[in-house]
Amino acid sequence: MLGVFLVAGTWQWQRGLEKDAMLAAQARTIQEREPVALATAREHPERLEWAAGTGRFPDVAPVYLDNQRNDGRQGVRVYRVFEVDDADATQLLVELGWLPLPADRGLPVLPDLAPGEHPVRGLLMPPPSAGLSLGEALQRQPDGSLLALRVVPAEIAAALGLSVDLAPRVLRLDPALDIGFERDLDVLANTLPPEKHRGYAVQWFGLAAATLVITLVLSFRRRRQ
């Protein structure tokens, strides 16, 4: 029991440090805003970078990430496949923003995107944290769209029948762009902040300390008897 509590506490503490580093990288990236090419989405899967480029949204069904809260409201984040104007025709998922769900959980009807070339920019980053990977990641809807419990680019590419793999990173569009829906650049949306992880770590370490004290007290009493 002592070992389990120590491992759990150490893991939670480490997660807090990782998220601290992610928030620091986000602040630095947004402040500097030195754009890299969108084609680099295939490289450095864990890196946060400001990216910009041009391309088009092919006629591919959208992806809705389920269980996304915004100001206490339940909704989905909308992703569309974006094909970059480069020699390799790089494709990646672009987050267009958040939309609320009605009481019957009917998926929203999206307006058509303007055809042709689109300039885009935003935060190039790993997909949202998936948490525990339980159950099927994707559910195909009657209109051909995908309802996702987690964003796994390789699985989404296969489900959409794409001829090329999607980049491992996704693009969160700059909220200033006149495209898409309500959105921000919060890299920890719908996940625990660092201070929560540290709080859980303290609890696990407290349980470890309590286990150690109880074990010593019981052992001492047994020896006396």
Side-chain angles (χ1 to χ4, degrees):
M1 292 292 291
L2 179 62
V4 169
F5 293 151
L6 288 174
V7 168
T10 301
W11 180 77
Q12 288 285 3
W13 192 268
Q14 195 65 37
R15 286 292 291 156
L17 293 177
E18 291 173 0
K19 290 188 175 181
D20 277 333
M22 183 178 292
L23 289 174
Q26 174 204 25
R28 183 172 59 254
T29 300
I30 293 176
Q31 181 178 10
E32 295 174 353
R33 298 207 176 196
E34 297 178 358
V36 300
L38 283 174
T40 60
R42 294 191 176 278
E43 307 167 5
H44 314 296
E46 300 302 319
R47 184 178 296 179
L48 273 69
E49 295 179 298
W50 192 259
T54 58
R56 56 194 49 80
F57 292 95
D59 187 18
V60 177
V63 179
Y64 302 94
L65 179 59
D66 202 1
N67 299 321
Q68 301 298 295
R69 299 186 68 83
N70 186 3
D71 291 334
R73 298 174 296 167
Q74 190 70 24
V76 292
R77 291 188 184 272
V78 182
Y79 289 83
R80 297 295 298 258
V81 175
F82 187 78
E83 185 175 300
V84 182
D85 285 335
D86 66 357
D88 298 325
T90 301
Q91 291 189 344
L92 73 158
L93 288 172
V94 170
E95 184 200 315
L96 295 180
W98 179 90
L99 286 173
L101 285 182
D104 62 1
R105 286 187 53 82
L107 292 176
V109 178
L110 302 181
D112 293 332
L113 290 168
E117 191 173 80
H118 288 266
V120 297
R121 64 178 183 271
L123 195 60
L124 198 58
M125 59 179 290
S129 177
L132 295 176
S133 299
L134 301 176
E136 293 292 332
L138 303 171
Q139 298 177 4
R140 187 170 296 279
Q141 303 303 299
D143 62 355
S145 63
L146 297 177
L147 183 63
L149 295 179
R150 50 190 179 273
V151 176
V152 184
E155 295 183 15
I156 291 175
L160 293 176
L162 301 181
S163 58
V164 297
D165 290 334
L166 288 168
R169 289 191 286 177
V170 301
L171 183 71
R172 299 196 72 174
L173 287 181
D174 185 347
L177 283 176
D178 187 20
I179 183 176
F181 319 107
E182 184 179 348
R183 60 182 182 272
D184 53 42
L185 296 176
D186 183 7
V187 296
L188 298 182
N190 290 270
T191 63
L192 295 177
E195 54 270 18
K196 282 286 188 180
H197 286 288
R198 283 191 284 271
Y200 287 137
V202 170
Q203 292 180 11
W204 286 116
F205 290 144
L207 288 173
T211 302
L212 178 60
V213 170
I214 292 171
T215 302
L216 292 175
V217 169
L218 292 178
S219 299
F220 179 73
R221 287 180 177 178
R222 187 178 295 114
R223 283 198 298 269
R224 290 188 62 183
Q225 290 174 356

